[in-house]
Amino acid sequence: AGKDRYIFVISLPFMRTMDLTKVDISLLLLEDMLRLESGYFIDNIGEKTDFVGTNFYGKEGPKKEMLLKFLEKYNEIIFSKGFNFQQQFEVTKQMDSYLKADPALWGAYFNLLKKIDRLVKSDLLYKEYLKIYPSPELQMEWLSPKKKVI
């Protein structure tokens, strides 16, 4: 969409299946914004992306082959490859630091992860989710306080 502008797409069937609240949706979008700001999406594409968010009015745009290659990598990330554990760990820790100031939001985020975990374990339609975003169960573990043994 351009520098410091974002366009987010969220699946209506996913929202309905999960019975997501406005807060839940906002938390999912915040997670995605953190991924974008960290550059994970562009890093994972691994192709020339300087044309993304550029207005080509009156100028020559990128070649068709370059666009098709970009879209192929884009689809690969969205539908099959996704993000790695290190990237997800960093995003989860960022979410934790942002939301700790508001226990209600932090609790909503933790409950959202529980909802997602239940969904991917119980509904075969969402089994591919774990390929794109590493385990919600791991995210909950990363967020949970460490148990001290005395």
Side-chain angles (χ1 to χ4, degrees):
K3 185 169 174 45
D4 298 325
R5 295 180 182 192
Y6 304 99
I7 296 173
F8 294 100
V9 178
I10 188 165
S11 161
L12 185 59
F14 179 75
M15 288 180 1
R16 287 183 176 157
T17 300
M18 294 268 302
D19 192 27
L20 296 177
T21 66
K22 290 177 185 175
V23 171
D24 292 338
I25 295 166
S26 298
L27 290 169
L28 286 172
L29 296 178
L30 176 59
E31 249 191 356
D32 279 337
M33 190 180 88
L34 292 176
R35 281 187 198 91
L36 287 170
E37 287 184 346
S38 296
Y40 297 148
F41 192 80
I42 296 296
D43 290 348
N44 289 355
I45 287 180
E47 299 292 327
K48 185 176 177 184
T49 58
D50 59 349
F51 62 87
V52 175
T54 303
N55 183 342
F56 296 107
Y57 183 76
K59 299 183 259 178
E60 185 178 341
K63 302 279 185 244
K64 181 180 177 181
E65 297 80 27
M66 185 167 47
L67 280 176
L68 290 174
K69 194 170 186 179
F70 173 80
L71 289 174
E72 184 180 317
K73 293 293 275 185
Y74 184 91
N75 285 338
E76 181 182 324
I77 291 168
I78 290 177
F79 296 116
S80 60
K81 185 178 174 190
F83 301 93
N84 65 40
F85 284 97
Q86 183 61 39
Q87 292 168 336
Q88 188 63 45
F89 177 77
E90 296 297 327
V91 168
T92 302
K93 286 302 186 180
Q94 279 184 294
M95 291 289 289
D96 185 40
S97 68
Y98 288 158
L99 300 176
K100 271 203 170 144
D102 187 334
L105 281 178
W106 190 92
Y109 181 59
F110 200 82
N111 287 332
L112 173 63
L113 294 175
K114 285 181 189 177
K115 278 185 189 180
I116 295 170
D117 189 48
R118 280 192 304 270
L119 178 70
V120 297
K121 288 178 178 176
S122 64
D123 192 334
L124 291 176
L125 291 174
Y126 294 95
K127 68 180 180 188
E128 301 295 316
Y129 182 92
L130 295 177
K131 286 183 181 177
I132 301 165
Y133 302 103
S135 171
E137 191 172 6
L138 258 178
Q139 285 181 272
M140 290 186 293
E141 188 177 307
W142 295 331
L143 293 173
S144 297
K146 305 297 177 236
K147 295 177 185 175
K148 293 182 182 179
V149 178
I150 300 176

